Amino acid sequence: MTDPVGGVSLLTHDVLCDPYPTYAHLRSTDPVHFNEQLGGWVLTRHDDVSAALRDHGTFSSRRMELLVAQRGGADPSPAVARFLELAAHWMWMIDPPQHTRMRKLMNQGFTPRAVRLLEPMIQGIVDDLVDAAVARGEFDLMADFCFPVPALVICGLYGLPPADARMVTDWCDAIKVFLGASPELGGVQDAAVALQEMIDYLTEIMERRRADPRDDLVSRLVTADDDGDRMDADELVSNLLLLITASFETTIDMLGNGLAGLLTRRDQWELIKRDPALIPGAVEEVIRYDGPVQLTHRLLTGDVELRGKKLREGQLAYLMRGAANRDPERYADPDRLDVTRDASGHVGLGLGVHFCIGAGLSRLEGKIALTELTTRIPDLVLTEPEQLHWRADNLQFRGLSVLRASTS
Ligand code: HEM
């Protein structure tokens, strides 16, 4: 748990595979902890993390330049300059009032009606994947279910050929690794190159929808209008790109971490099988218990004193969602996956102005996936339950690389 300089290491392989004991240690001994390796303050208590997420005036989302500086300093290449220019429009990298404006326009793509319209498409995708799994008998839940569900949903949303799903997720990977909270892990160059390729690809789709609008997400965003205010081309392309980046891996990992949790604690799987009315609550509980997004950074805009520590303007704060969601002050027996608990108040989908814009969509995907799997493959089992293959490449995004299973 401790590194050679006496601090707490959050980046070792063991901690990345199972960060929860380290979170518990920090929460009880040093809840506002300065971590040398991460170069910032690590907050682990539910009330501190929630308060910081609500206080966007002090805990700013404008952290991109600092992240770039941490990942190897200013790079004068045109690709990186363009990356920074576009990333400056990302909703999750800006504060009100700019954020309020952008979010209002982007919300037009995510009305409850727009999400409801997606239900038959998601149901069809899940049905086909479950059919294929049943026919095969043995499969990798990650490659054969958790990855293709959101990949095909986003292809459906954007009108992309399903065959392009792998290319698009590879681009997202490069960007995600860069954002992933480890100076050693991320390369801004790779992210910048991926971004440029993705921009060319998305620009073509935007132009097609502008010329020939449909009742779909891209068309709604291309035409989004708030009293005459519209997104310009850079704002639009960068946020279309953000939606893909923000939705793919998170949903894959919600499904993967959730299935791993439910299938290794079989009584919980049996409960949702017997009573499907528990499934929406089970989706919230798996996001609380082992969420895909373990932390979010914020940049301090002023000096703050918190639990006796002096946080300074310009420093980085790591708001540890994974730790907050297991705070015993907030949840009884927090290390137990319990599909019957009231998991509300978890910060796995955010809180405050940056609350996940895709929450409704991911909850729907989770509900359909669990309903279909528990109904069609009630005896689904992991074939190596004692050995979970955590990717362990990233402190921010937590997920599995493989999850082997069989129909009985
Ligand atoms: C279970 C899956 C998901 C999880 C766990 C998740 C988690 C999160 C979290 C924690 C935030 C807050 C970030 C912050 O405070 O800085 C967030 C924001 C966001 N999410 Fe999700 N997300 C998921 C699925 C999706 C999907 C499906 C989409 C898009 C279709 C999406 C798009 C976004 C966007 C654009 C933001 C930024 C919102 C803003 O800054 O106003 N997410 N998400």
Side-chain angles (χ1 to χ4, degrees):
M1 218 172 268
T2 52
D3 69 19
V5 288
V8 171
S9 177
L10 284 151
L11 298 175
T12 64
H13 180 77
D14 286 355
V15 173
L16 291 174
C17 285
D18 180 9
Y20 298 108
T22 307
Y23 293 162
H25 171 69
L26 284 175
R27 230 179 10 239
S28 59
T29 61
D30 193 12
V32 180
H33 158 79
F34 190 83
N35 191 278
E36 296 290 344
Q37 209 179 7
L38 296 177
W41 293 96
V42 176
L43 274 55
T44 44
R45 291 215 177 144
H46 187 277
D47 50 0
D48 292 341
V49 170
S50 303
L53 287 170
R54 285 202 181 90
D55 182 4
H56 52 77
T58 311
F59 291 86
S60 164
S61 290
R62 289 199 174 273
R63 63 229 189 249
M64 182 54 96
E65 284 178 19
L66 192 66
L67 293 181
V68 171
Q70 273 201 345
R71 309 284 188 284
D75 179 325
S77 74
V80 173
R82 183 71 179 137
F83 177 91
L84 290 178
E85 197 175 46
L86 284 177
H89 298 300
W90 281 353
M91 273 183 292
W92 59 16
M93 292 285 171
I94 55 180
D95 297 323
Q98 290 88 343
H99 173 268
T100 318
R101 167 183 172 260
M102 193 67 77
R103 179 79 189 223
K104 247 184 176 172
L105 290 163
M106 293 295 289
N107 277 344
Q108 296 184 21
F110 288 90
T111 58
R113 174 183 169 274
V115 175
R116 260 196 323 275
L117 281 177
L118 301 173
E119 192 158 350
M121 173 187 73
I122 301 172
Q123 187 70 55
I125 290 169
V126 170
D127 281 349
D128 290 350
L129 292 167
V130 173
D131 283 346
V134 169
R136 216 173 298 148
E138 290 203 355
F139 41 87
D140 171 9
L141 275 167
M142 295 311 292
D144 300 325
F145 189 78
C146 304
F147 169 84
V149 170
L152 294 170
V153 167
I154 207 89
C155 286
L157 270 179
Y158 277 48
L160 317 179
D164 286 359
R166 176 57 73 183
M167 175 177 75
V168 174
T169 48
D170 283 350
W171 287 328
C172 294
D173 260 1
I175 295 171
K176 184 201 73 177
V177 167
F178 161 71
L179 294 174
S182 163
E184 294 109 59
L185 297 175
V188 71
Q189 271 295 346
D190 289 348
V193 170
L195 187 98
Q196 191 49 56
E197 290 173 0
M198 227 165 152
I199 291 166
D200 296 344
Y201 182 85
L202 288 175
T203 303
E204 202 188 307
I205 291 161
M206 265 164 42
E207 275 157 16
R208 262 191 264 142
R209 287 298 178 283
R210 225 191 279 278
D212 179 18
R214 304 181 193 167
D215 191 7
D216 67 11
L217 177 76
V218 180
S219 305
R220 276 192 288 276
L221 293 178
V222 166
T223 55
D225 186 314
D226 183 37
D227 273 344
D229 180 25
R230 304 180 70 150
M231 283 182 266
D232 67 24
D234 270 7
E235 288 171 336
L236 199 53
V237 80
S238 73
N239 280 296
L240 280 176
L241 189 146
L242 167 64
L243 288 181
I244 301 187
T245 315
S247 67
F248 256 137
E249 202 88 41
T250 47
T251 311
I252 296 171
D253 292 336
M254 169 188 69
L255 296 172
N257 300 2
L259 285 167
L262 291 165
L263 292 169
T264 49
R265 288 152 200 89
R266 191 77 203 180
D267 58 322
Q268 300 300 303
W269 177 261
E270 298 300 328
L271 277 175
I272 58 169
K273 226 166 85 175
R274 274 204 304 277
D275 184 2
L278 289 174
I279 289 179
V283 172
E284 294 308 313
E285 172 65 352
V286 297
I287 298 173
R288 177 201 73 82
Y289 175 76
D290 205 2
V293 183
Q294 289 285 307
L295 72 92
T296 303
H297 324 81
R298 293 289 191 258
L299 181 65
L300 281 142
T301 59
D303 296 350
V304 185
E305 187 157 340
L306 192 56
R307 296 192 191 275
K309 302 283 177 72
K310 291 185 174 22
L311 286 60
R312 300 282 179 213
E313 179 179 349
Q315 288 184 317
L316 207 54
Y318 289 78
L319 309 181
M320 307 304 289
R321 299 175 185 279
N325 286 341
R326 291 211 190 185
D327 187 338
E329 296 283 320
R330 179 64 182 77
Y331 298 102
D333 201 0
D335 293 323
R336 194 161 61 87
L337 176 72
D338 175 1
V339 296
T340 65
R341 85 160 76 231
D342 174 7
S344 60
H346 73 72
V347 290
L349 288 165
L351 186 73
V353 298
H354 292 281
F355 181 75
C356 178
I357 204 170
L361 174 58
S362 33
R363 285 171 170 149
L364 183 62
E365 289 178 67
K367 185 181 118 189
I368 294 175
L370 289 182
T371 306
E372 208 52 30
L373 285 171
T374 47
T375 312
R376 303 266 318 279
I377 320 183
D379 296 328
L380 181 65
V381 280
L382 298 183
T383 46
E384 29 178 35
E386 66 298 333
Q387 201 191 353
L388 293 179
H389 302 273
W390 295 104
R391 285 193 308 268
D393 60 352
N394 193 307
L395 181 59
Q396 185 164 23
F397 303 107
R398 173 167 170 79
L400 294 153
S401 51
V402 178
L403 189 61
R404 292 197 184 88
S406 73
T407 48
S408 59

